[in-house]
Amino acid sequence: MNDPNGSAATRREIAAFALVLVVVTGIILFLTDGSILLSRPLWVDEVIAALIANRPSPVAVIGDLGSGADGGASLFHLGLWAVRAITGALAPSLLRFLALASVLTALVISYATLRRGFGWPAAAAGVLAIGAHALVIEHSYDARFYGPWLMFCAMGAWLFARRGSLPTRGNAVALAGSAIAMCTIHFYGIITLALMAAAVIASGGSRWRERVLIIRPAAWGLLALLVVVPLALAQRRAYTVPSWLPDFRWPQLTTLLSEFWLARIPVIAPLIIIIAALVRTRQAPVGVAPMAFVRGATTNAGIAALAGLAL
């Protein structure tokens, strides 16, 4: 049985899983005539993002965002600007391919994180629970923030796991970078970062102070958010008439909970983890208490971060 605190999956295994994921996705698109998902015309939000990305400079991109042309904390639009500068144009198929690549990358990274505590069947089931969510499927073919946002969350979870087993300056810098990306791809990225960090700390139990050291580099995400707050305020001032996005009301929390945290597929994900953990108790080595054997997986910082998002 793999050590839950070590790197359970080899690079070859992760590469094989990535290949299978890409092949299965391609087969599904072929059998369902799903190529239209990549080639269909851009819808209004995608058109706006593409127009902003066609501005002559990053400064102009930020200026348009500050004028209320679109929402977001600038990283997404600046990324599209860089792609357009390299390719010369932002075709719908290219934008949708980038969205799909972001989601598939997120699923592969999630698999690598889950494999640090579970066997490949449980890890694959966990990835299936993530990828089968209706919103994940929708945003796999939507040239907006959400695919890259999911990818940065998955990267953060994997880096939490890495720092939990082998804290180095390199993975501290990488974790800081993923936290910054999470909070600048969208202003609400700070919410996902906070959920992940809280889950990591809580999973430490009485040794929570050690978990604080693990997540400390992620504080750069908060600093990045403070840098882009003026942009958020400028966008809010730019809306002089009511927009499609209403002012926040507490009853909206019910809708958010139903859509993101109480949907059936996200609830299935932690249940799969629990069932897999119970199965592992039967496979515990002789002389090792079953719950102590399970704890190494369920308290893994990366798995805790993923569970925090799922819950």
Side-chain angles (χ1 to χ4, degrees):
M1 183 61 62
N2 291 319
D3 177 7
N5 295 316
S7 181
T10 64
R11 292 184 178 180
R12 179 174 295 181
E13 178 187 337
I14 294 173
F17 178 80
L19 178 61
V20 170
L21 189 62
V22 170
V23 170
V24 169
T25 301
I27 292 174
I28 293 174
L29 289 175
F30 175 76
L31 294 178
T32 60
D33 197 21
S35 61
I36 186 64
L37 294 173
L38 298 173
S39 60
R40 74 185 192 278
L42 299 178
W43 66 287
V44 60
D45 284 9
E46 293 173 321
V47 170
I48 292 173
L51 289 174
I52 294 174
N54 274 284
R55 297 288 282 161
S57 69
V59 174
V61 170
I62 299 296
D64 281 357
L65 292 175
S67 299
D70 198 5
S74 76
L75 181 60
F76 172 71
H77 298 85
L78 291 174
L80 290 186
W81 180 89
V83 171
R84 195 270 307 165
I86 295 172
T87 63
L90 293 174
S93 56
L94 173 61
L95 293 175
R96 304 276 167 54
F97 173 80
L98 293 175
L100 178 59
S102 296
V103 171
L104 293 180
T105 300
L107 296 180
V108 172
I109 297 174
S110 297
Y111 176 82
T113 301
L114 291 172
R115 279 292 280 119
R116 298 180 73 86
F118 300 102
W120 72 263
V127 169
L128 178 62
I130 298 171
H133 191 282
L135 287 174
V136 175
I137 295 173
E138 176 182 351
H139 294 305
S140 297
Y141 307 96
D142 190 8
R144 295 294 285 167
F145 325 92
Y146 308 107
W149 189 353
L150 178 63
M151 180 180 68
F152 293 137
C153 287
M155 289 174 58
W158 184 76
L159 288 165
F160 280 136
R162 289 280 295 174
R163 282 192 57 74
S165 60
L166 184 64
T168 65
R169 178 173 297 182
N171 57 41
V173 172
L175 177 57
S178 69
I180 291 172
M182 210 181 302
C183 294
T184 55
I185 195 74
H186 197 286
F187 300 113
Y188 292 166
I190 189 63
I191 298 176
T192 52
L193 181 61
L195 287 170
M196 295 169 72
V200 171
I201 293 175
S203 68
S206 61
R207 304 177 66 179
W208 62 269
R209 291 179 179 84
E210 297 179 8
R211 295 305 176 98
V212 172
L213 296 178
I214 291 175
I215 70 170
R216 189 166 58 181
W220 282 95
L222 178 59
L223 295 178
L225 179 66
L226 294 176
V227 171
V228 297
V229 160
L231 179 61
L233 296 176
Q235 290 177 359
R236 186 171 182 82
R237 289 193 301 268
Y239 294 122
T240 57
V241 297
S243 68
W244 67 270
L245 186 64
D247 292 336
F248 179 78
R249 297 289 185 273
W250 285 109
Q252 294 174 8
L253 285 179
T254 304
T255 301
L256 289 173
L257 286 171
S258 176
E259 187 75 13
F260 294 103
W261 287 288
L262 299 182
R264 283 171 289 182
I265 291 298
V267 170
I268 289 174
L271 288 178
I272 289 174
I273 292 176
I274 293 172
I275 292 171
L278 293 175
V279 171
R280 284 170 63 92
T281 64
R282 298 180 177 273
Q283 303 172 341
V286 177
V288 178
M291 290 311 298
F293 185 70
V294 173
R295 193 176 299 117
T298 56
T299 62
N300 180 284
I303 294 174
L306 286 178
L309 287 179
L311 293 173

